[in-house]
Amino acid sequence: MSTPKMVTSRLGFEDSFTIDRYVKTGGYQALRKALKMTPEEVCAEVTTSNLLGRGGAGFETGRKWSMLRANPVRYLVVNGDESEPATFKDRMLIERDPHQLVEGTLISAYAIQATQAFIFIRGEFALGLERVLGAVNEAYEYGAIGPDIFGSGFSVDLVVHPGAGAYICGEETALLESLEGKRGYPRIKPPFFPAVIGLYGEPTVVNNVETMSNMPWIISNGGAAFAALGAGRSTGTRLFALSGHVKQPGNYEIEMAKSTFRDLIYNPDLGGGVRRDNKVKAIIPGGASAPWFGPDQLDLHLDQDEVAKAGSMLGSGSVVVMDEETCMVRAAWRIARFFHRESCGQCTPCREGSGWIDKIMRRIEDGYGREEDLDLLMDACDNIAPGVTWPPQQTTICVLGPSIPSSVAWSIRMFRDEYLIHIKEGGCPFS
Amino acid sequence: MTDDDKFLIKIDGADYEASPGELIIEACDKAGVHVPRFCYHPRMKPVGMCRMCLVEVSGPRGMSLQPSCYMPVQPDMEIVTESDKVKKAQDGVLEFLLINHPLDCPVCDKGGECPLQDQTLTYGPGESRFVEAKRHWAKPIALSELILLDRERCIQCARCTRFAEEVAGDPMIDFMARGDSTEVNIFDDNKFTSYFSGNTVQICPVGALTATPYRFASRPWDLEQAESTCVGCATGCRMVIQSSQDKLIRYLGIDSDPVNQSWLCDKGRFGYLANYAESRVVTPQVDHQEVSWKVAVDHVARAIKEALATTGPESIGIIGGSRLPNEDAYAWSKLARSVFGTNNVDAQLGDGLDPEVIVGLPKATIDETCASPLVVLVGPDIKEESPILFLRLKGAIDRGTTRVLEISPNPTSMTKYSAMSLFHRPGEAHLVVNSLVTPGPTKAGSGAGLPVGGVELADIDRARALIEDSPGVVFVLGRASMADSAQIVTQCASKVRENLPGARFLTVVRRANTHGALDCGLSPNLLPGRMTIDDARGYYEGHWGQVAQGPGMSTGEMLARAAAGSMAVLILLGADPVSDFPSRSLAKKALESGALVVSVTSHLDESAKLAGVILPTTTFGEKGGTTTNFEGRVSSLSRKVTGPGQAFDDWTVAVLLAKELGGDLGFSSQQDISEEMERVVPLYSNLKPHIWTSLAQSDGVVIPLYGDRVVPRWFDPIATPGIASLVHHPLRPGTGVDKESDPVRGESLPQVPARVEFSEVSRELSIPTLDAYSLRLMAPKVLYDRGVLTEPLSGVERPGSVLRVNHYDLDRIGAMSGDRVRVVSSAGAHEAQVEVDDSISKGTALVAFNVPRSEGQVLAGDLIGYGELVTDVRLEAL
Amino acid sequence: MGGFTPDNLVKAKEIIGLYPKARSALIPLCHLAQSQDGWLTPEAIVEIADLLDLAPAEVKGTASFYDMLHTEPVGRYLVGVCTNIACMLGGAYELLEHCEDRLGIRCGQTTKDGKFTLEETECMAGCDGPPCVTVNYRYFLGLDNQGIDQLVDDLEAGRLDNEIPPHGTVYRNSRNVGLTASPTQEPQAGGKSSQIAQPTPTKRGAK
Ligand SMILES: Cc1cc2nc3c(=O)[nH]c(=O)nc-3n(C[C@H](O)[C@H](O)[C@H](O)COP(=O)(O)O)c2cc1C
Ligand code: SF4
Ligand code: FES
């Protein structure tokens, strides 16, 4: 592919995580450049780039920044909690190019004139934490963090904050609660939009690791260069985390909106095809929270809006491929089980509904299902996400709730027969 | 907020007026549209967790389901509570809640008054679609001696944890784990010992939290109930008292907006247990032999006649009365003045404040205190003395409506919420107050000044700035320690009166009806209606016939005279001077001196054990009338059950004695007394019969009452256990703002003889300087003392009678924590167990007043030197 | 086992100093305590509560929300097998069963010698090499049954001691630049201390 590597350019080097390699490959030049611009100019570049947030919601980063409430205290929080099932791109960026993340964070902190920045890293990323902590220490000594960065007069501290194991802390308001030392309970929006009432009640920007890692490239090359790639609102390149039944699972940085799911799965430089050259039965396009696609939708472009229009989401940029030998009940059950284990427990529908659905799904997979269970499942889903539509409506505080139906309801809709076989035969036909 | 701010909203198609900031659920409640809810509680911040209250709300993106307990109303908002979508969502939540909820309603204490049960019956499906296994937990675990938790029944509404953290400031319980494993629990063995723990039981919307005393005790439909006023302390919390088969079974807090806002402390909540304590007395006794009322009253009357004939009326004294209803106190006051011919009556036991301080200072109500920009707290730990005032004040601080400047010898429960705390040498509060309120510069700037009362001048300056910068101020006054004289507080009051004439006061005293007893004339120098004997004797002679020549003796003087052998009869009116009078030795000596001691009491307390005659009386729940809290608020008491055995009401005893002595008090019912009070006592002249009656279902009235209306309150404690008040009394912000004058409220009262006005005390107190070898004694009161109310709460942890000092002072005498030492004070020498506590200021020895003593411990009352301004003690290693 | 060792107490205060509000240090302090004791002991909870001016119930309540913070002892090696979707498609449940057999324990249990605790984890972001196995959060991707046996052998023999510290230590380095002293002051012992407190800002749920 001829498109530039914006966030993975250094990954070929063994020592990609060291400051030496980073500086040798042009590191921290973008920060120096940004510091010579006004914060407004930096923001403008980002707005021009139309960089969509890479955390899942896909919100324009520049617009998010512009919504920040005017206030003497502002915080920047980088979301490195990556726990969305089958998403593993941020871990790579964190472990392999921590300085890029640090530099992107500093550029952003300058742009929004943050008084302090935090990188919240998933607690389980032991190596990642070591790498980013190390990078922060190095960058501090290098003069890129702390008082009067590179003599520019701009000062900001950057604190690496470890998580401790809770998927929900990826949700930005839960993350802020967690960063405040509390149980990771999502806050109710409105009024708790981070840009208005965020960390410690102050206006706060929360951005994903990959979003941040794009900043050095955008500042070095200009927002327009970024926007020249991709199509429509989906500009630039994006990391796709491909997993499941493909021959070459991995992270692939490709231009947005230009390739299709089929390309991603079958291109020899990318997924390389399905294992045993099986047929694709279904894919999960954007993390466990996303509704499933069937083989008939493989020609959709990796374009945020196109995927949304087709009834799912690009989400966290992960694609799980399930081939014809896969039991759809089992796959959907495992995702239901995930939400059950990870529900924070605040909202009754999510806390109790996820557990109930997990148990019913398990019962069907184990061969003790009843036909009426399918209606029951759909109705329970409906009570969590009224209408069971996409984008969802919700009876809960955060969107973990309405994510529960995505795998359950869509698998029932797509593979009702397979459920019925489980029920009639009293067991799983695949095991 | 003005009416202009109001706007229109639509609820189910109809227009309603709403105010900015109001929650949708509040607007619906006001409109009479019921929205089901579990986690929402009007006295706590919403969390929107249970999702039961979802309604459809219009927004930028059309109608969507929103938690009505969380969303504020907006102009022109459309709210739909009845649509199919809303019903489906609510039914769904209910079904989800029942998934893991056990179906043990038949054995659950909450059965019959359980919102979950009610809503399931009303809206729920007949049959469960849930066939899987429910979550299981060990059945009830004890969070404390009083509180049990059944986690299987918990619906994770966070009411209890929020109450503990947000309202009580005692986050001893919290959610643990996550998702559907979430449980409420304590940390290890740290019990949920909050003074307020019982409230969590009342607000738990299911039967997860239950109280040990009520466990399996009754069913709600078997309970009869009446509103009453708690007499656990002088806050006067409104509560509903419930009984079954003529037995008190349970108390619940009422959402009385101006007073307790639905909360109760555990001492009050479980106070009914005391009615059934072993120490209850039910038959009259003479020389500890059970006798008939006739014999007992004859016996007393004979002694009084003899005293009148020989040693004179001044050899008769009445101590106590502050546990009595107002009417009964009035009867006893009249008996003493007009029949006995003595003014030796004192409702306080030397442990309160000067009567003039209590009745004569310009008052602030609790609401006004909480609305004052600054509250200066001089004296006790109010969490110990008036737990609900503590909650109210803490709430006001949290909401940012007020700031507290604390002046105290040691850190208290308020310290952490105070804007500033000045810790002074015990007994020297008046010096600090004086330096704070007198105009003119302090010497801090020059660096030359010596600390005042142990407080650095720089701190004094900062505190002065707080007062000076505040547009208004309320002083909360009380006794920090029984070892300091009440005169110190009087001095404080006079310094403030002199320099900040607009300041208002709230005087915190312990015993419930102290204020009422003083208002009714149970004070050596006061006649009913806050008037001095000199001013009002003529007036009362016109009504009562005879009134004794003034002034009488205080409790301390009576005890001292008795100890000297020159009292003939001492009547203890629900009083226990041996426990409660600061000097235990003097009280004991007085009662053992040969005077006839008559204990008119409900319980066999320490003093009653020394009495020649015991006359059993009814107590809370068994008698009606009114009581007056420390704001001067008169509210009603309910007779819910019959007194045990031969217990009589106190006023009856007064009438019997009067008759026996050939007098006639002129009443044959409590009703007669209130009518006479309204007729005779100017202070009560506006309490017309209809007000008196309406008190039974209101928040009471602050007297003197201007106007003639009582604000009614909607209240249905069973439907919404004690949590709903639809009437909110708007706070008057900025109380005490006018520093220059005391604003006169409303019209004036009928012409009366001069009412007591607190007058300046010019005499300076000379507190001895603390010598280098001594420690100054602190003897603060604590909530769980040895009083009759807490006796049945035997399981709850309470402070022992250990002497606590700073490690620095212990090092100096070469003793170790836990050692026994000799403590010498002017009252004598005792051995005591000593413990290190570095929260205690250097140079101070602290022992809580009137707490249970175990082996080797010393009682504060044994150490306090009566009549001294302060008590200094020396410690010697053994 | 007490609270923090003197060295760790210094570290704890440095960590607190990194944040605008002390409570934010709660999770890092729990990690620090686990790196010291292997799990979050009651003593550590009490000490953390003291340092952050919280009640122990609040610290435990918060810590127990998080999977990595263990209020009960765990083995020296916490072996996690991810069974989430991508790993499940890659045979994770079969591998997990083998782990149970090899270690002689069920999921969630600890071996008698206290060496191994076995856990079924959610997605660890190692989906490109399913099944994803972690030992004290160090990744071992794409192992088969023999791979597991070898791994367990190596751990038992101490051959991986350099790469894998005992459970509790997640990251072995720490912030070492720009540290400020902790803002929490030593409590003044019994002196005549006076204090001005900032009004506490209202938290979540404010109207
Ligand atoms: C349940 C849930 C989990 C989430 N997990 C993550 C995550 O692990 N990492 C992430 O960056 N964003 C996650 N998000 C999205 C964040 O809330 C937020 O939108 C994102 O961090 C914003 O960054 P961006 O604008 O750069 O995408 C999650 C959202 C939800 C609802
Ligand atoms: S939807 Fe689920 S995860 Fe989100 S706040 Fe509610 S309970 Fe927590
Ligand atoms: S009452 Fe509104 S969410 Fe519980």
Side-chain angles (χ1 to χ4, degrees):
Chain A
M1 298 236 155
S2 60
T3 45
K5 296 280 177 251
M6 296 178 182
V7 293
T8 58
S9 65
R10 249 165 247 103
L11 299 195
F13 298 103
E14 272 292 301
D15 60 352
S16 60
F17 59 90
T18 62
I19 192 160
D20 285 350
R21 173 62 60 198
Y22 192 64
V23 171
K24 256 186 240 160
T25 48
Y28 290 113
Q29 290 310 322
L31 176 60
R32 290 179 198 274
K33 180 172 172 191
L35 290 171
K36 292 197 185 94
M37 299 157 67
T38 65
E40 295 73 30
E41 285 165 353
V42 179
C43 286
E45 287 301 332
V46 175
T47 306
T48 308
S49 76
N50 202 48
L51 170 66
L52 301 181
R54 303 297 198 227
F59 197 81
E60 293 92 336
T61 306
R63 216 172 111 212
K64 183 185 276 188
W65 292 3
S66 71
M67 286 157 52
L68 205 55
R69 173 165 63 93
N71 195 51
V73 177
R74 293 169 153 202
Y75 294 111
L76 171 64
V77 177
V78 179
N79 187 343
D81 192 54
E82 187 175 66
S83 318
E84 186 69 31
T87 310
F88 48 100
K89 63 189 181 72
D90 293 342
R91 180 166 79 91
M92 179 184 74
L93 293 174
I94 288 167
E95 287 178 1
R96 306 278 295 283
D97 206 341
H99 279 286
Q100 176 173 269
L101 170 61
V102 167
E103 185 178 9
T105 305
L106 292 167
I107 291 169
S108 308
Y110 174 72
I112 64 163
Q113 291 290 294
T115 35
Q116 190 167 356
F118 299 88
I119 302 184
F120 184 109
I121 293 184
R122 181 173 176 184
E124 290 93 337
F125 290 172
L127 178 62
L129 278 159
E130 282 176 7
R131 291 266 165 93
V132 182
L133 270 166
V136 165
N137 287 339
E138 287 172 338
Y140 196 98
E141 304 214 306
Y142 183 67
I145 301 177
D148 192 16
I149 294 171
F150 296 148
S152 66
F154 176 67
S155 309
V156 76
D157 194 22
L158 200 176
V159 169
V160 179
H161 183 87
Y167 164 68
I168 194 60
C169 293
E171 196 283 333
E172 55 190 5
T173 57
L175 182 145
L176 296 180
E177 285 282 304
S178 185
L179 184 50
E180 288 181 13
K182 303 180 191 147
R183 297 166 58 83
Y185 277 168
R187 299 171 178 173
I188 301 186
K189 307 187 228 182
F192 290 97
F193 292 110
V196 187
I197 313 173
L199 188 63
Y200 314 122
E202 311 290 354
T204 302
V205 161
V206 182
N207 268 134
N208 167 262
V209 161
E210 185 186 342
T211 312
M212 286 293 109
S213 299
N214 273 297
M215 291 303 161
W217 195 94
I218 291 175
I219 294 307
S220 299
N221 301 278
F226 189 91
L229 296 168
R233 287 201 315 134
S234 301
T235 58
T237 64
R238 177 161 193 183
L239 270 175
F240 287 93
L242 183 63
S243 65
H245 294 147
V246 286
K247 290 185 177 152
Q248 301 162 38
N251 285 312
Y252 299 103
E253 181 177 1
I254 52 178
E255 188 176 352
M256 279 190 87
K258 292 294 163 65
S259 316
T260 62
F261 286 104
R262 191 180 302 282
D263 298 335
L264 182 63
I265 296 167
Y266 289 100
N267 186 316
D269 292 331
L270 305 174
V274 180
R275 69 161 179 182
R276 301 200 269 276
D277 292 326
N278 279 342
K279 282 205 249 25
V280 171
K281 189 169 181 182
I283 65 166
I284 312 175
S289 315
W292 297 4
F293 279 158
D296 51 327
Q297 281 152 309
L298 288 184
D299 292 316
L300 287 167
H301 285 96
L302 298 170
D303 173 304
Q304 183 159 307
D305 295 337
E306 192 173 328
V307 172
K309 218 184 290 154
S312 187
M313 64 168 180
L314 224 37
S316 59
S318 79
V319 177
V320 182
V321 177
M322 297 182 281
D323 71 5
E324 56 196 304
E325 294 170 38
T326 316
C327 172
M328 293 292 108
V329 179
R330 190 163 144 95
W333 159 70
R334 185 58 188 84
I335 293 174
R337 171 173 159 77
F338 164 75
F339 288 120
H340 175 204
R341 288 181 80 183
E342 295 297 343
S343 166
C344 82
Q346 280 192 99
C347 314
T348 307
C350 173
R351 177 185 69 239
E352 305 294 346
S354 61
W356 191 14
I357 289 172
D358 172 5
K359 287 176 183 166
I360 299 173
M361 294 286 290
R362 176 76 199 239
R363 189 153 51 72
I364 296 174
E365 166 69 4
D366 286 351
Y368 302 101
R370 309 164 301 178
E371 214 170 316
E372 64 262 36
D373 284 332
L374 300 187
D375 292 341
L376 177 55
L377 280 169
M378 287 305 285
D379 195 50
C381 288
D382 187 72
N383 286 340
I384 302 171
V388 197
T389 53
W390 194 267
Q393 292 190 294
Q394 62 197 68
T395 57
T396 54
I397 293 174
C398 84
V399 296
L400 188 147
S403 299
I404 302 167
S406 290
S407 58
V408 176
W410 267 264
S411 65
I412 293 176
R413 284 171 179 167
M414 294 166 71
F415 303 100
R416 197 179 178 90
D417 289 352
E418 207 169 305
Y419 276 85
L420 291 175
I421 293 172
H422 277 79
I423 291 165
K424 295 215 174 88
E425 293 185 357
C428 178
F430 295 90
S431 61
Chain B
M1 188 186 59
T2 66
D3 278 353
D4 305 346
D5 296 340
K6 298 209 166 169
F7 46 73
L8 283 183
I9 57 169
K10 257 196 185 15
I11 303 176
D12 293 333
D15 282 334
Y16 294 93
E17 216 173 50
S19 327
E22 198 172 16
L23 297 169
I24 295 174
I25 205 167
E26 291 170 347
C28 288
D29 279 349
K30 271 202 327 208
V33 175
H34 181 73
V35 179
R37 79 282 309 262
F38 290 110
C39 64
Y40 171 70
H41 186 286
R43 294 291 180 191
M44 297 192 283
K45 284 185 213 145
V47 283
M49 282 168 64
C50 77
R51 316 304 287 177
M52 190 65 205
C53 69
L54 294 174
V55 295
E56 281 194 90
V57 177
S58 61
R61 268 171 261 139
M63 300 297 279
S64 63
L65 288 170
Q66 297 293 344
S68 59
C69 72
Y70 205 90
M71 273 219 137
V73 289
Q74 304 281 348
D76 303 322
M77 189 177 248
E78 259 182 71
I79 296 154
V80 178
T81 73
E82 302 256 74
S83 66
D84 290 348
K85 192 168 169 189
V86 169
K87 289 290 154 225
K88 176 106 184 6
Q90 291 176 351
D91 289 352
V93 171
L94 206 53
E95 183 179 36
F96 286 137
L97 280 175
L98 292 170
I99 279 179
N100 274 317
H101 192 84
L103 300 174
D104 58 358
C105 307
V107 293
C108 175
D109 282 341
K110 198 77 172 188
E113 53 178 2
C114 170
L116 182 60
Q117 192 183 39
D118 294 347
Q119 295 186 27
T120 307
L121 275 176
T122 318
Y123 311 108
E127 206 126 313
S128 172
R129 299 193 288 176
F130 183 76
V131 296
E132 338 289 329
K134 287 181 190 271
R135 170 186 58 206
H136 282 296
W137 293 103
K139 277 290 193 180
I141 53 169
L143 296 184
S144 72
E145 309 301 334
L146 290 171
I147 310 292
L148 298 172
L149 168 66
D150 182 331
R151 291 164 294 177
E152 291 183 349
R153 294 180 188 153
C154 173
I155 58 165
Q156 284 88 11
C157 69
R159 277 187 175 188
C160 59
T161 50
R162 270 184 289 155
F163 171 82
E165 199 261 345
E166 178 184 323
V167 181
D170 290 330
M172 302 161 174
I173 50 171
D174 201 352
F175 275 150
M176 312 262 161
R178 190 177 73 209
D180 64 4
S181 310
T182 306
E183 58 168 317
V184 171
N185 218 326
I186 47 178
F187 168 71
D188 281 20
D189 299 329
N190 295 9
K191 294 265 167 71
F192 182 32
T193 52
S194 170
Y195 285 171
F196 307 103
S197 67
N199 292 298
T200 60
V201 174
Q202 180 168 332
I203 63 177
C204 177
V206 291
L209 288 162
T210 49
T212 10
Y214 181 71
R215 198 161 156 73
F216 304 131
S218 181
R219 289 318 219 158
W221 51 85
D222 290 331
L223 291 173
E224 297 165 27
Q225 60 181 350
E227 279 199 47
S228 195
T229 307
C230 180
V231 295
C233 76
T235 318
C237 295
R238 290 296 280 168
M239 62 187 191
V240 62
I241 60 180
Q242 300 180 322
S243 66
S244 172
Q245 297 177 331
D246 211 21
K247 193 168 184 262
L248 295 168
I249 296 280
R250 180 172 71 169
Y251 295 165
L252 296 173
I254 286 177
D255 194 2
S256 164
D257 195 59
V259 188
N260 52 311
Q261 304 193 336
S262 87
W263 313 127
L264 293 176
C265 76
D266 288 356
K267 181 175 170 181
R269 179 178 301 272
F270 300 107
Y272 63 91
L273 297 173
N275 289 40
Y276 308 104
E278 257 179 54
S279 58
R280 194 69 204 270
V281 286
V282 294
T283 0
Q285 296 173 19
V286 171
D287 294 330
H288 301 288
Q289 300 299 313
E290 295 191 352
V291 296
S292 70
W293 266 100
K294 172 110 190 61
V295 170
V297 170
D298 275 357
H299 190 91
V300 179
R302 220 176 310 120
I304 291 175
K305 276 185 202 147
E306 196 187 314
L308 290 175
T310 55
T311 41
E314 56 283 3
S315 67
I316 305 170
I318 299 179
I319 292 173
S322 52
R323 287 194 185 122
L324 273 45
N326 289 325
E327 294 72 8
D328 298 34
Y330 180 82
W332 275 92
S333 177
K334 189 174 177 186
L335 173 72
R337 297 3 167 118
S338 70
V339 180
F340 294 177
T342 180
N343 284 321
N344 292 343
V345 291
D346 192 353
Q348 299 191 87
L349 303 188
D351 59 346
L353 298 172
D354 280 346
E356 284 188 9
V357 167
I358 298 175
V359 302
L361 285 168
K363 279 184 195 312
T365 61
I366 300 175
D367 270 356
E368 288 164 343
T369 306
C370 292
S372 168
L374 182 68
V375 172
V376 183
L377 208 64
V378 187
D381 188 335
I382 56 167
K383 195 175 182 180
E384 306 289 346
E385 290 277 27
S386 168
I388 298 301
L389 176 62
F390 168 81
L391 287 195
R392 291 287 314 270
L393 206 47
K394 173 186 175 298
I397 295 168
D398 289 346
R399 276 190 301 279
T401 47
T402 194
R403 306 225 282 161
V404 165
L405 164 62
E406 177 188 52
I407 299 170
S408 154
N410 280 314
T412 69
S413 315
M414 246 320 148
T415 303
K416 109 177 198 215
Y417 307 105
S418 299
M420 184 171 185
S421 298
L422 300 179
F423 302 128
H424 61 82
R425 218 167 6 247
E428 300 183 13
H430 60 297
L431 301 178
V432 178
V433 169
N434 188 30
S435 68
L436 289 179
V437 299
T438 33
T442 54
K443 297 175 214 113
S446 69
L450 289 173
V452 177
V455 180
E456 297 298 335
L457 284 192
D459 292 332
I460 298 262
D461 272 353
R462 281 153 69 211
R464 278 176 67 119
L466 272 183
I467 296 179
E468 275 158 20
D469 295 348
S470 175
V473 57
V474 168
F475 279 77
V476 175
L477 299 179
R479 283 277 286 278
S481 159
M482 293 303 117
D484 306 344
S485 160
Q487 290 177 53
I488 292 166
V489 183
T490 310
Q491 273 280 329
C492 293
S494 76
K495 298 293 179 198
V496 178
R497 265 321 263 154
E498 210 175 306
N499 295 294
L500 299 176
R504 304 261 216 103
F505 298 84
L506 187 59
T507 45
V508 180
V509 283
R510 181 57 162 269
R511 234 156 284 115
N513 199 22
T514 304
H515 204 307
L518 298 183
D519 280 354
C520 291
L522 281 183
S523 178
N525 193 32
L526 294 179
L527 285 171
R530 304 182 188 168
M531 294 181 284
T532 64
I533 294 199
D534 288 349
D535 288 336
R537 222 177 114 233
Y539 177 85
Y540 276 100
E541 273 173 349
H543 289 282
W544 288 355
Q546 179 207 344
V547 172
Q549 298 283 343
M553 289 187 278
S554 70
T555 296
E557 288 160 344
M558 286 187 255
L559 291 177
R561 252 193 85 169
S566 36
M567 286 299 271
V569 180
L570 272 182
I571 299 178
L572 308 179
L573 219 46
D576 178 10
V578 173
S579 301
D580 290 333
F581 186 73
S583 169
R584 190 178 159 81
S585 51
L586 177 57
K588 267 188 115 161
K589 200 161 162 218
L591 301 196
E592 286 166 342
S593 66
L596 175 67
V597 176
V598 182
S599 175
V600 185
T601 187
S602 55
H603 288 77
L604 187 70
D605 53 38
E606 278 208 79
S607 300
K609 286 181 191 152
L610 302 177
V613 179
I614 295 176
L615 303 177
T617 56
T618 51
T619 182
F620 185 72
E622 301 159 359
K623 59 170 133 212
T626 57
T627 184
T628 306
N629 78 347
F630 53 43
E631 303 169 284
R633 178 185 303 276
V634 178
S635 46
S636 71
L637 297 166
S638 280
R639 175 197 293 276
K640 191 72 216 62
V641 294
T642 348
Q646 303 177 36
F648 279 12
D649 288 352
D650 296 81
W651 68 270
T652 338
V653 183
V655 167
L656 284 179
L657 265 177
K659 223 175 243 149
E660 215 42 60
L661 291 167
D664 180 7
L665 293 180
F667 0 94
S668 53
S669 70
Q670 229 183 6
Q671 171 91 21
D672 291 348
I673 308 178
S674 41
E675 277 165 20
E676 176 172 324
M677 285 165 71
E678 185 223 321
R679 206 174 54 244
V680 173
V681 187
L683 186 67
Y684 294 95
S685 61
N686 272 4
L687 293 189
K688 306 287 178 220
H690 74 276
I691 294 183
W692 224 279
T693 339
S694 59
L695 287 183
Q697 256 129 56
S698 75
D699 298 324
V701 290
V702 176
I703 54 168
L705 177 70
Y706 300 92
D708 65 350
R709 234 173 52 82
V710 181
V711 190
R713 172 163 41 73
W714 178 87
F715 171 60
D716 179 2
I718 287 290
T720 45
I723 60 161
S725 163
L726 285 196
V727 177
H728 286 250
H729 303 243
L731 295 188
R732 286 194 275 149
T735 298
V737 164
D738 181 4
K739 281 189 192 165
E740 300 313 316
S741 68
D742 182 24
V744 177
R745 295 182 282 191
E747 343 121 37
S748 58
L749 290 172
Q751 270 304 301
V752 294
R755 191 149 334 111
V756 171
E757 277 249 5
F758 179 83
S759 54
E760 273 100 70
V761 185
S762 49
R763 187 169 56 92
E764 289 297 327
L765 301 178
S766 73
I767 307 286
T769 40
L770 187 64
D771 78 56
Y773 301 99
S774 300
L775 303 177
R776 185 148 294 161
L777 185 65
M778 272 277 293
K781 287 198 171 178
V782 291
L783 189 67
Y784 293 146
D785 59 9
R786 280 194 314 174
V788 293
L789 268 182
T790 60
E791 185 196 306
L793 299 178
S794 54
V796 303
E797 279 169 40
R798 51 187 76 208
S801 209
V802 243
L803 195 69
R804 292 186 284 147
V805 299
N806 192 287
H807 82 273
Y808 170 88
D809 290 316
L810 203 56
D811 289 351
R812 280 199 319 170
I813 64 159
M816 307 253 287
S817 197
D819 279 0
R820 288 169 46 116
V821 294
R822 229 169 97 83
V823 200
V824 190
S825 77
S826 61
H830 295 269
E831 277 187 21
Q833 189 189 334
V834 68
E835 258 168 33
V836 161
D837 181 345
D838 284 346
S839 71
I840 306 226
S841 301
K842 279 186 218 166
T844 308
L846 185 145
V847 53
F849 188 75
N850 192 26
V851 292
R853 164 169 59 178
S854 54
E855 194 54 40
Q857 296 179 341
V858 67
L859 286 176
D862 288 331
L863 298 174
I864 296 171
Y866 176 70
E868 293 166 22
L869 289 171
V870 292
T871 302
D872 291 344
V873 296
R874 277 180 194 221
L875 302 196
E876 293 160 14
L878 283 179
Chain C
M1 240 167 4
F4 285 122
T5 61
D7 281 357
N8 280 336
L9 193 58
V10 172
K11 267 196 199 160
K13 290 184 178 170
E14 285 173 359
I15 292 171
I16 295 171
L18 291 173
Y19 294 93
K21 299 236 164 102
R23 184 166 180 165
S24 282
L26 192 147
I27 288 173
L29 294 195
C30 289
H31 279 308
L32 181 67
Q34 291 208 136
S35 73
Q36 177 182 299
D37 302 320
W39 59 291
L40 199 52
T41 66
E43 293 82 358
I45 289 176
V46 170
E47 174 138 25
I48 292 170
D50 279 353
L51 283 166
L52 303 180
D53 195 19
L54 297 171
E58 292 175 289
V59 174
K60 181 162 181 184
T62 304
S64 60
F65 185 87
Y66 298 96
D67 294 336
M68 291 177 73
L69 303 176
H70 296 263
T71 50
E72 303 284 334
V74 277
R76 179 183 172 93
Y77 297 114
L78 180 64
V79 179
V81 180
C82 170
T83 57
N84 205 308
I85 185 75
C87 290
M88 182 185 90
L89 297 176
Y93 276 107
E94 294 72 18
L95 192 76
L96 181 61
E97 242 173 70
H98 179 76
C99 285
E100 289 183 334
D101 291 348
R102 173 64 181 81
L103 293 171
I105 49 174
R106 312 284 305 190
C107 223
Q109 295 178 335
T110 301
T111 52
K112 280 213 189 65
D113 59 5
K115 267 218 165 126
F116 296 94
T117 300
L118 183 62
E119 222 187 16
E120 176 189 4
T121 73
E122 293 301 339
C123 178
M124 284 284 193
C127 325
D128 48 348
C132 169
V133 172
T134 51
V135 178
N136 297 347
Y137 310 109
R138 272 66 184 177
Y139 287 74
F140 296 87
L141 298 183
L143 295 186
D144 55 11
N145 290 355
Q146 287 75 38
I148 286 289
D149 293 343
Q150 183 65 47
L151 176 61
V152 172
D153 287 345
D154 287 348
L155 289 168
E156 274 178 335
R159 283 191 287 272
L160 292 171
D161 281 1
N162 286 338
E163 287 115 275
I164 305 179
H167 178 259
T169 299
V170 180
Y171 38 98
R172 286 160 295 188
N173 56 349
S174 60
R175 169 82 177 242
N176 57 21
V177 286
L179 294 170
T180 50
S182 139
T184 46
Q185 283 160 5
E186 290 289 321
Q188 275 172 284
K192 294 271 180 275
S193 63
S194 303
Q195 44 174 21
I196 288 241
Q198 295 300 315
T200 31
T202 41
K203 291 176 290 192
R204 65 197 299 264
K207 281 197 223 168

